[in-house]
């Protein structure tokens, strides 16, 4: 199956996953900006990957805007975020990004990435600092909130190639 892996990456984690998937699946790999200029008609499978921001998948609107035109293709979305795979917030967040009718057409996966403050644009860095300060100021923090503050206070990388296995399986690889 001729497959395109399209990605939107802010700090490199999504790009890394996209490259791993493309290599293992024998797929073409391209940034979203390049994909926007291409005709996807020759592809039987479209894999779109982007990063999570406050429970949303960045640039997902572009992909969703093409879902009807790609109805006969295998459609997969993967989202990369800073939460560990075990986080209970992941599944509900992924579901919120798609209506029920859309979920019937696409398979959605999560891949843990991390934070790289050194590569973040200033606006994102500021947003994260404000979020951390808000969490730190909260009285009666849960253990999960304490752990989140610890994790997101500095750069870290929890990405691992093993997390692409379900995506490859969905592609029949």
């Amino acid at each position: 199956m001729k497959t395109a892996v399209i990605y939107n990456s802010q700090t490199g984690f999504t790009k890394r996953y996209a490259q791993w998937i493309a290599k293992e699946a024998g797929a073409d790999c391209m940034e979203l900006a390049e994909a926007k200029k291409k005709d996807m008609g020759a592809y039987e499978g479209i894999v779109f990957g982007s990063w999570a921001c406050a429970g949303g998948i960045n640039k997902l609107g572009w992909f969703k805007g093409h879902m009807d035109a790609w109805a006969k293709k295998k459609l997969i979305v993967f989202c990369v975020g800073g939460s560990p795979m075990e986080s209970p917030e992941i599944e509900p967040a992924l579901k919120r990004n798609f209506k029920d009718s859309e979920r019937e057409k696409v398979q959605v996966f999560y891949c843990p990435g991390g934070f790289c403050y050194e590569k973040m644009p200033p606006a994102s860095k500021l947003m994260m600092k404000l979020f951390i300060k808000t969490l730190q100021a909260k009285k009666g923090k849960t253990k999960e909130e304490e752990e989140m503050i610890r994790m997101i206070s500095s750069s870290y990388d929890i990405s691992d190639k093993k997390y692409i296995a379900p995506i490859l399986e969905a592609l029949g690889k």
Side-chain angles (χ1 to χ4, degrees), residues 5-21:
V5 178
I6 301 162
Y7 67 90
N8 174 52
S9 188
Q10 180 174 239
T11 60
F13 295 105
T14 307
K15 180 179 181 179
R16 180 185 302 155
Y17 275 110
Q19 290 172 334
W20 284 341
I21 294 163

Side-chain angles (χ1 to χ4, degrees), residues 62-81:
W62 173 83
F63 177 85
K64 288 171 73 169
H66 290 84
M67 282 178 65
D68 288 339
W70 296 339
K72 295 189 182 316
K73 300 180 185 300
K74 178 168 285 282
L75 301 179
I76 295 173
V77 169
F78 71 94
C79 172
V80 179

